Amino acid sequence: MPKYSFTVEELADALVPGEVPSASGTLTAASPQAARKAVERSLRSKGHEPTDEITITQK
């Protein structure tokens, strides 16, 4: 499976209201769409909601 990197410039933090963190990292997924879904699921499970586009690029 290919590796992808992701970046999200702005997140709404449900745990610390008012804070606007960002996130970036790498993951392995079957497709860019699968990578995006995995990132969204992971962020939401940690109390973050993407408020900006999630950028996915293949490494």
Side-chain angles (χ1 to χ4, degrees):
M1 276 199 269
K3 286 189 177 187
Y4 295 93
S5 61
F6 70 90
T7 305
V8 186
E9 293 300 322
E10 292 184 20
L11 300 168
D13 192 335
L15 303 176
V16 184
E19 190 167 319
V20 184
S22 62
S24 63
T26 59
L27 72 154
T28 302
S31 68
Q33 295 83 3
R36 182 179 314 283
K37 285 184 180 184
V39 170
E40 288 174 348
R41 198 169 37 250
S42 177
L43 291 173
R44 288 188 177 116
S45 74
K46 294 178 171 91
H48 300 295
E49 187 68 35
T51 57
D52 197 9
E53 185 173 334
I54 299 171
T55 304
I56 304 285
T57 53
Q58 189 169 354
K59 293 192 96 179

